[in-house]
Amino acid sequence: MSDLKRTGLFDLHVEHGAKMVPFAGYAMPVQYKPGVMKEHVHTRVAAGLFDVSHMGQVILRGEAPALALERLVPQALAGLGEGRQRYAFFTGEDGGILDDLMVANRGDHLFVVVNAACKDADIALMRAGLPDCEVEEITDRALLALQGPQAEAALAVIAPEAATMKFMDVAVLDSAFGPLWISRSGYTGEDGYEISVGDSQARALADTLLADDTVELIGLGARDSLRLEAGLCLYGNDIDTTTSPVEAALEWAVQKVRRNGGAREGGFPGAARILEEFETGTARRRVGLLPGTRAPMRAGTDLYATPENGEAIGHVTSGAYGPTLEAPVSMGYVAIEYAATGTQIYGEVRGKRLPVRVADMPFRPSTYKR
Amino acid sequence: MKYTEEHEWIRTEDDGTVVVGITNHAANELGDIVFIELPEEGDEMTKDDEVVVIESVKAASDILAPLDGEVVEVNSAIVDEPGKINEDAEGDGWFFRLKPADLAPMEEYMDEAGYKAFIG
């Protein structure tokens, strides 16, 4: 663990009894004393505080940074309102997904949050692809996520205006901990916030939030089961360079203005394949999967059309026990003829083919404050 | 009570059968247990066979048969509520009862003090 990077909240995690594990080059808390199940449930019924400082925070400045960034992603960013955020992904020339990210319009610049494992590549990609923009990696700010039904009340004590924000709004709010860069978003399916705070104030902000009885620290283990129940993709598992946006069922994240016939059609890497797939569909598709027994079907589980014989028709890319569903839950890719909701297929677990049903996502309705 | 290096406990009963489970330490290390697959009553097992599959929120693990013998009872309550294993691994969270065919390996297994030293 000694060669791993640490976030500014490393000591906080250790003091709270975290089990630290390597994740994307960082020592990160996978769980605290209560354990994954209790942490998951706590986030759904109260509020969870996550250290996500390992993620990349980047500012893009230029004449028209939103229009410029459209050269690297299939999202409509030029029309994104000031104070609004949008989910996006970088695509490769072959139509695969290089990383997913959040893009916020903060008036005279964009604020971008990217995955930890991809941040160096993403920054290099933006520097190479956006010569008309200044790409500044923010390295002196921590990033906290506060998620769950009590998140609004807990943050209101520190930044009252945050309570008036809607899902995917962003704002810079003054506080006792300096300016907080806040978005009303997250990756758990819950209402909540992501909060960027200066490194020197991060510990004090975390301690203040944790002094609220409703707020508990939550590790990466519960973060994974929370996002899975919410049907959200984990980059590197459910989407990667080998999956296209249409295969990944992410059509909703590509606005019409960038599709065929749109005013700013194409013009992003892999557009030829991706736009064609909007017309023709794909041979496989990412789907939700609800196992028919209590046995979890984890990433790598092969999927079959029949209880015996035949070739695999897909595989699981994420799978875990869903503490809120009180049942195992998975997602994965299946051949398109098996992708309809309700289709009965089989997952091979320890040599046995167990029933699993294709299901709509999210598995549990999200509670975003729209 | 005897303990194996695989973190199982084995309790000999007055009727000569043995009850098998995993230690509190093992349950704690595994984290929240969400699934368990037990053998069936009447199954014959051979020492070191993989006879139980246990899955926690983190990963799947195999539990090995500590002795040769015949399964005479299984704890079906933990199949419906695997969390019982975390709550009381060395009591209500027991796995199965065995009619042992050969008790010789018991001599090799640790007593409580030995197991405590083993887990440090």
Side-chain angles (χ1 to χ4, degrees), chain A residues 31 37 294 298 350 352, chain B residues 32 53 55-56 58 80:
Chain A
Q31 65 166 78
M37 197 102 82
R294 292 188 69 104
R298 298 183 189 271
R350 293 179 283 272
K352 278 185 253 174
Chain B
D32 299 308
V53 175
E55 293 213 31
S56 73
K58 295 172 199 163
D80 298 329

